[in-house]
Amino acid sequence: PHGTFLQACVVYYTIYGVMPPPSPELFSTTKIWKRARYMQPLDSTPTNPLPTYQDAQYLYSIAERVCKYGVVPESFIYYDSVDDFNEN
């Protein structure tokens, strides 16, 4: 669910050119996932937790920094081609 929230923020920015409006409803992830299918193996223990309000705010800020300001994490590895990837 954490990755899904981050991805949703990035996709929203990609489509509309702006970040989704930051609101309490956006960061209240229990409301977002209340009616959504929860994709996880049935026998998975423990279950994947939903992002907390603070997690959602943090993920939103990451998406905003990357989408709006082009910030690239230092841990990002850039590959020019598939051959570069296969060498590592």
Side-chain angles (χ1 to χ4, degrees), residues 10-77:
V10 171
V11 169
Y12 188 99
Y13 185 88
T14 302
I15 293 171
Y16 297 107
V18 295
M19 292 298 293
S23 66
E25 291 80 20
L26 178 66
F27 301 126
S28 178
T29 56
T30 54
K31 290 181 182 179
I32 294 173
W33 272 279
K34 185 176 182 179
R35 295 182 13 205
R37 290 185 297 162
Y38 195 60
M39 303 301 289
Q40 180 171 308
L42 294 175
D43 60 350
S44 175
T45 306
T47 58
N48 293 328
L50 295 176
T52 65
Y53 192 90
Q54 290 78 16
D55 291 341
Q57 288 179 314
Y58 177 70
L59 294 168
Y60 181 93
S61 72
I62 291 172
E64 184 174 42
R65 286 183 289 187
V66 170
C67 294
K68 286 178 75 173
Y69 306 112
V71 174
V72 179
E74 290 180 19
S75 60
F76 181 75
I77 299 172

